Amino acid sequence: MVPDLPSVREDGGGGGGGINHTRKVLHDGILNGNTNCNGAPPKTEANVQSDFSTTKLTSYAPSVENGALYRTKHTFWPPLKAVPLASYYKLHRVPSLDSLTATVMAQQQNDVQAIELPHSDASHVEEPQDKSPPRNAVHNKILENVIRTPGRQPSPQPTHLSVPGPSQHRVLPEQGSGYVAPTFDGKDQQMDQVMDQIEEKGFIPPEFVESETNWFYNELGIDDMYFQTETVPAIVNHILSLYAAKVAAFARGDGRLEIRLDKEAADHAVYIDTSKPGVSVIDGPRYEQRIDEKYINGSVGDSSYRVESFRSGSHLPGEKDQQLRCYFVYKCQFAHPNPSLEETNLDIIGDKRFLQKATQNTRDIYQEVMSHAVDRTGPVIEMFEMEGSREKRLVIAYRQGSAMGLFSALSDLYHYYGATSSRKYIEQFSNGITIMSIYLRPLAQTPASMKHPPIEASIHQIMKEVSLLYCIPQNKFQGHFASGRLSLQETIYAHCVWVFVGHFLNRLGSEYTSLASILDPNNSAHVEMLSKIKRRLRTETFTSDYILEIINKYPDLVRALYLVFANTHYVQTRGEQDDFLPTLSYLRLKVDPVLDDSQLKDRISKSVVNEHDEMVMTAFRVFNSAVLKTNFYTPTKVALSFRLKPSFLPEVEYPQPLYGMFLVISSEFRGFHLRFRDIARGGIRIVKSRNKEAYSINARSLFDENYNLANTQQRKNKDIPEGGSKGVILLDVHHQDKVRVAFEKYIDSIMDLLLKPVSPGIKDPIVDLHGQEEILFMGPDENTADLVNWATEHARKRGASWWKSFFTGKSPKLGGIPHDAYGMTTLSVREYVVGIYRKLNLDETTVRKLQTGGPDGDLGSNEILLGREKYTAIVDGAGVLVDPQGLDRTELLRLAKQRAMISKYDASKLSADGYRVLVDETNVSLPNGEVVDNGMVFRNTFHLRGGQPFDTFVPCGGRPESIDLSTVHKLIVDGKSTIPYIVEGANLFITQDAKLRLEKAGCILYKDASANKGGVTSSSLEVLASLSFDDAGFVENMCIRADGTAPAFYDAYVKEVQETIKRNAALEFEAIWREHQQTGIPRSTLSDTLSIAITKLDEELQKTELWNNLILRTSVLEDALPKLLLEKIGLELIVQRVPDNYLRSIFGSYLASRFVYEHGSSPSQFAFFEFMSKRMARLNQQPGSQNLTSPINGAGA
């Protein structure tokens, strides 16, 4: 008998269920020399020569005894030329010879013949004397030497991609597929009917009818379920089609037998194709890709499909290396089609066919995997040994729709590692989980297959790379991978850099640089004009397709550049026994040496054929040097994330330097997260595209839009400790319905780079070149408002200590303060609107008002509820509502409270001059006789129509740049603005140059960065409360109870937040009004200069010695922090709990904003000294205070 195999698995794999698959016991059934893996007769023994350059060892399972290698009747994978096996394994860091060879499959002594290994001492396998890494080894990071992030918090409870299962050996004792089709009692009778109908048709010669039918029924591995399901005419059609393929092959005269059959019905499909084991077919019908695209990718609910695939047990006639691969697709029939998403009982969620056919062993496996899959964002991976063979059963579970194209991509993966599949199953479950089972076996021994490692080693690489494949199942360089030219890691690396290059390749030219040097970078209009020129220039030269074409020409350069990336970021978690090189390129016998940057530069220069190619390939070097940390080598991940050093951005294009940048890439999306300070906050938005053209435009402008939004947020956050940040997720053109999937992957992959990994095999350590703890503060934005609760809970499940503050805008049950429910954003906007009325002594009720963004939105509905103006026009997503006599206020309040669009407005309440035009209407006649041809166009341009009597315009919704320099003239008549007052509630609604034109025409205009800051103030104070309370106190005081009642503290705190918003808005309004009166500088410009002055002074104050003055620090924090928090928790505890850099930001932002609001954006050089002297004087008057006389030079310290 054969001894049990030792464990060969990833170190620490039992830590919470990572890729902890274990080597299982191999039974000696297939090792007795009677059959090979495919059931073919045993191979004859080959001659063995002592020279290893021509050695062909004969055994799947050599055993070592007293230095001798014994051979049996099966050809063993040969070692490298002139390299002993032990050295080969050490070189490639795969399981050692002792663990993989000597004890794998010992043969009975009477069936072996000894062969001496070629080494000097026959008593043992000698290790190489030179302990230094070989020339082609990569000097990657040993675990103990990884750069650690100080204070990174642990992730004790990872909640996504994992391999569950206990650590003990696991083996499947059953023989066969794990499925047993119910016996079809009428099979013989059906077979007779089939032969009768074939004879009637007369296409197949009578003497071949029985043999062809028997071959179809008994040789292709088709189970009885197919024959029970299909009709006799359908089976006849399939057999005739296969026979026709044989005839066609004969007629071609090339001797190649190609059989291809596809039959698709409403509820099932059949595909049969000629298949060479272990070879990915790049051309041809590509049935697996079709199954992915037509059935698996879109499987959801009642429209789910299960798949069974078999490889024929015998070769095709005259084709020793060809078999038939059959695919059977069935529409699922669920007994319970709408269970809970957390339901795991297979009897409830399973398909009827699956429940009928699956063996108890298969059900047990799936039940265990299912219990893990429902708790995870990404896939669950499990592997089982098949007793009595070298076959492995790979089981993968994931959420439907989260890995498009994974089924066909998996074939490329295991083919790359020299394995082939005998059977494959895809099962769908009504709780939204997909489970695949793939039975893998090594290729039959041929000269071509000898380069592959034994499946006992390669299965580990396959499993590790499944998670990488899950992130991007079909990358842009898949052809290089399918052909074996590049490894999976190299192609996905190239894919990521392709995305990077598309956004950052510097292609603006010297003309742009010259223009930028002439214009004033502090002038908002100049900056905006440069931004537009940049956007246009970038569309001219390098398209994404052109960049892809260039990269495809240089796979050898990609390989060299990837090795540099890997050498920096790969971590050896198992020391010298790690499997780094096989993961890079197991099949290459020789790995190129790792080049330094100068060598890479030289090699690129010598390899490329023109300047454009050099620019693109050089961008790979830029990417490599910019990556500070990545989850690329984390065993479990759902998307690829990179923390980049933004210093590569050209200052002429991006004058305001970024502090941090994250790039996230998945098959469903690409996204950025940008921030201008270490402590920063901003929303996460998801951008959709109507079509390919819109996607192309969105992709080109993605980073610049993200940068501009974060920059706007930076200016808007002038009153709060957080700087500006923003995250933008662009959905792939083919995945516009994957909003939730994209958001979850984006958040989880960024968290990979924020949390310290403590679960080996799930979240291994990463190389952190940034070397500092990072905390991000995020909030809702377009298309993400209903997803922030998940993000909060997910951060808590992953063990983030900052889960309470991670996202604002969350449910009140999680301690959130919803902006819409309490009108936080509107309170700030209203302060500016009412401020104008107050300064000009206007009666609010007589002011005629235009508003974009209707009663269905957050800002629009609250503006209606809080305002008392005479609404004469409202524009929203439904269309345009107009009444020169004033819209009925009671009806508007009803819509606002119901959050209903203007399409629900009672038209009977319109005056004779009033009208409503909806976006889907055409040829609408207005009261003045004008005919509206298209309601959509009318809605989009209504705010630009002349002749409309409006006094105030408050944009509360609408796309950015709805008014720009090319359209603003429509709002100016005879040099005067047709709308006297504008308060920009919606972000970026009016371009800066258009704002300046309107102000020049006499319009009193307050821009978004000033008016629309109530929401950020509310979010900041929500974050502060979450940081100040411990978990128990937070739940008790800030979380709405299950019965819907709010803690008394919560209600009081919300009121204090509202008052703070109004106070900050009033301070800035007065400062801008006053400075405009004094200087005549446009208010839009003053808004920016005030913001810049505050943020600049804030940053300077945080670096001074003022912070070290305990009395001053305490005084400022007592003024800046909410009184309720101070009373409830106390300053001492708050200081202990809130991070020091966050407290410094509170200190700096409070002093800076109060100083600038009081003294303006260009104060005298003595103003700040006077400002601080007054504060010090007040402190000196307090009992027991020290004499604080030098606030600037040490502040009395």
Side-chain angles (χ1 to χ4, degrees), residues 758-789:
V758 295
S759 301
I762 300 175
K763 295 294 178 187
D764 283 346
I766 62 175
V767 175
D768 185 356
L769 300 179
H770 182 58
Q772 299 176 24
E773 180 185 10
E774 293 188 284
I775 302 176
L776 302 183
F777 301 104
M778 302 179 179
D781 206 312
E782 291 181 14
N783 298 311
T784 62
D786 59 339
L787 300 172
V788 297
N789 288 346

Side-chain angles (χ1 to χ4, degrees), residues 1080-1108:
I1081 298 174
R1083 294 178 179 85
S1084 299
T1085 302
L1086 287 174
S1087 175
D1088 292 335
T1089 55
L1090 279 174
S1091 298
I1092 293 170
I1094 291 173
T1095 54
K1096 184 178 180 180
L1097 179 59
D1098 177 7
E1099 293 169 357
E1100 291 176 352
L1101 287 173
Q1102 292 184 47
K1103 299 174 184 177
T1104 67
E1105 295 297 319
L1106 291 174
W1107 173 256
N1108 296 329

Side-chain angles (χ1 to χ4, degrees), residues 120-139:
S120 58
D121 184 356
S123 64
H124 67 283
V125 178
E126 185 178 54
E127 295 290 333
Q129 297 300 314
D130 183 9
K131 298 297 183 180
S132 61
R135 181 186 64 84
N136 60 344
V138 177
H139 296 268

